[in-house]
Each structure stands twice: as structure tokens, then as C-alpha cells.
Amino acid sequence: MTALPHPVPGRWRPLRIGLVDLFYYDTEEFWFRDGRLLLRGNNGTGKSKVLALTLPFLLDGDLSPRRVEPDADPGKRMEWNLLLGGEHPHPERLGYTWIEFGRVDTDTGQSHFRTLACGLKAVAGRGIARHWYAVTDQRIGQDLSLLDATGTALSRDRLAEALAGHGMVYDTATTYRRAVDEALFGLGERRYAALVDLLIQLRQPQLSKRPNEAALSRALTEALPPMDQAVIADVAEAFRSLDEEKDELRAASEAERAASAFLDHYRRYARVAARRRARLPRSEHARYEQLHRDLAQARAERKQAETDREAAAGRIAELEQRATRLKAQQAALREGPEMRSARELEQVAAEARRTAEELRRTEADRQDAGQAHTRALGRLGTAERRLAAAGERVADLAGRARDTA
């Protein structure tokens, strides 16, 4: 036996739908996945018919064409789905349509199932001779079979025997709908009927192309949950107290304007006071920023000085290495034969310098002697001229003396 689908925790979800001896089907099942079902096929393969015979028919129970058929065509009567318009080989036919719901209790983890079924019997010339409904917690294919050992669909009485202790069989759509609501939804008779009517309105084909705004609006309105009387009372009380709230709002508005006017004056005062109080912090902050800049500059200069010192230290080390190398070269040169020749040349050069110095001094002495000779000659000429003058005076005196004598 193929394993049946498992429910999931939470609300009721459809698991399977099935048809037994209905339309062109002998026994057929369609499984849902996550509460959804997709039917694909060419036109005329029976997709719409499967939905018409299962949902929302199994939630409504009304056999009238306007409720069963999506297009509400009154010519498509339910007996046609059994006798196929006289094409069925037998003058009467009994079949079932059913749907299975399931859920898992989130507290206990226990699985729960509900199967809704509708049995239909059609007789040629009489239409639907009899129909009945069933609600059970049994699963078709596991706890319950709608066919007997010969493959014939169960009659109403045999179905009631099979459901003994696990479900009920109903003969009217009204009691059946009440049982479905109690088993699955708990909405109440009025709300349940309104929601079923809404499903029938929404499943109409070409709904967007041929909308019936009035009927759709009425169905949506009736499907809304009833308004709580406590909410209505609260709204009425709110309307009654609306004048009081207006007065309170007016007083609050005046208080808000007065507070705003006071705040305008106080803001101006606060700005002046804040500027006065902020002078010292601003000056200290400016001084702090200047010290911060000075510190940054000093750090940069120190870093540059350390860089220069490191460069100088490297240069000194390089020069010391070079001096050491030159001293070694100097020592090597002093010990070589070239150095001895250099020393001899230095001695000759020293002697030449001494000779040149003596020559310079001798020349200086010669020049001094020439200058002294020149001066002596000058003094001699002077003395001679004085002597000549004195001789002339003596001669003159002698002549006068002779004259006097």
C-alpha cells in the first residue's frame, strides 16, 4: 500500500481529494502539497469538473448548478456527472466525492484527520434519486473504503455501518454544513455560510473580465467577522466624549503656544549666557590646540634632528674609516723608497729655503746699506755746503778784519 500524505503542525490543511464512480473516473485521488493543488492538462480533460465536484461543493453541500458549477449554468445538473447525459451503460449509478484534511497538534504531536464525503445516486429519468453526506476521522484507503469487495460503491446504510463510532452520516446540507463547521472551523452558522458564498463568488471563471461588483462586494462584506459589541460601545463613548477632547485639545494647543513663546525668549537668554560662559573654555581650547600644534612641530623637529644625527654619525664613521685607511697608506708610503727621496727633496728644499731667506736678508741689508750710503752722501753734501758757507764767512770776516786793521 502506498504511504499516505502526512499532515503538518498548525491549522487544518487539505491533504487529498478523490472521486469514486463520478464523471469519467472510476477511482481517482489528487494529493495536495503544503495545502495547495495544481491541476494541469489540455482543455476538456476535466480539470474544472474535478474542482466543481470537490471544492467548494464539499464545504457547501448544495447540489444546485448555480452553487456547484463555476459558470452557474443551470443546464449542468448534478445527475449528468453520474449518468453522463445517457452515455453511461447503466441506467443508475452511485458515486462519491470526498476530501481529506489533516493537522498535527503542536503540544502533543498527535495527528488528526477529518474526511468529508458526499454520496450521490442518480437514476435515469429521475435525476438525483438520493444523496447523503458524511464527516469522519477515518482515512480513506487506510481505515475506510468507499468500495466493497466487488468494487461497488457503498450505499448510505453500508457507509453508516462503516463509520460506526468514527463519524456521522447526514441527509441534509444544513446539518452537514453545521457538522463541517464544528469539525474544522468553529465560525458559527452565519459566518461559515458567508465565507462559503465568498468562495463561490471568487471561483467564477473569467472573474476579472466579467466582474459583478455588487455581488462581490456583498459577499466580501458578509464574510467579514461580526463587530464586537464592546468595540461598538467604545466607539460610541468616544464620539460622546469628542467635545471634551476638543476642549482639552484647545487648552493643550494654547499651553503649547505659551510654552513655545517662553522657549523663544529663554533660547535667546541661553545663547547669550552660553557665549559668555564659553569664552574661557574657547580660549583654553585654542591654547590647547596651539600647544598641540607646537608639540607636533617639536616632535617633527626632534625626529628630523635624530635623522640628521644618525646621518652625521654614519658620515663620521665613514670618515673615520677613510682616515684610518689614509693613515695606513701614509705609513706605508713613509716606509717606502719614494719617501726617502721625498725626505731628501724636503732637505734640499729646506736648504733652498734657507739660502733664499739668507739671500733675502742680504738683499735687505744691501738695500739698507744703499739707503744709509745715500743718506750719508746727503749729509756729506749738506756738510760740504755748510763748510763752504762757513769758509765764505771766514774769508769775509778776514777781509773785513784786514780792512779794519
Side-chain angles (χ1 to χ4, degrees), residues 5-15 32-36 101-107 109-113 139:
H6 298 283
V8 296
R11 61 182 177 84
W12 292 101
R13 294 175 183 266
L15 300 178
F32 288 78
R33 180 179 179 85
D34 294 330
R36 296 173 175 84
F101 292 88
R103 71 178 184 89
V104 175
D105 195 328
T106 55
D107 296 330
Q110 183 179 0
S111 299
H112 301 276
F113 301 95
R139 306 193 70 182

Side-chain angles (χ1 to χ4, degrees), residues 359-373:
L359 179 61
R360 186 184 62 76
R361 287 195 300 270
T362 301
E363 181 65 24
D365 292 342
R366 187 184 67 79
Q367 291 178 356
D368 291 340
Q371 293 175 356
H373 176 70

Side-chain angles (χ1 to χ4, degrees), residues 272-324:
V272 174
R275 282 197 295 269
R276 291 176 179 175
R277 296 288 183 88
R279 289 175 182 173
L280 179 60
R282 285 203 303 269
S283 62
E284 292 298 325
H285 182 71
R287 182 171 175 271
Y288 166 77
E289 290 182 347
Q290 182 62 40
L291 292 175
H292 186 72
R293 289 192 293 271
D294 296 342
L295 178 61
Q297 183 178 359
R299 287 177 177 174
E301 292 175 354
R302 186 188 68 178
K303 185 175 180 181
Q304 184 62 36
E306 290 177 352
T307 303
D308 296 341
R309 185 184 64 182
E310 292 176 357
R315 181 63 178 169
I316 290 172
E318 182 181 354
L319 293 175
E320 289 178 350
Q321 293 177 0
R322 184 178 179 185
T324 302

Side-chain angles (χ1 to χ4, degrees), residues 220-248:
L220 290 172
T221 302
E222 293 176 355
L224 292 174
M227 184 66 69
D228 191 354
Q229 292 299 322
V231 175
I232 297 176
D234 292 340
V235 173
E237 181 64 26
F239 275 108
R240 282 192 296 270
S241 62
L242 188 59
D243 293 334
E244 298 178 1
E245 293 180 356
K246 286 182 179 179
D247 295 337
E248 294 177 359

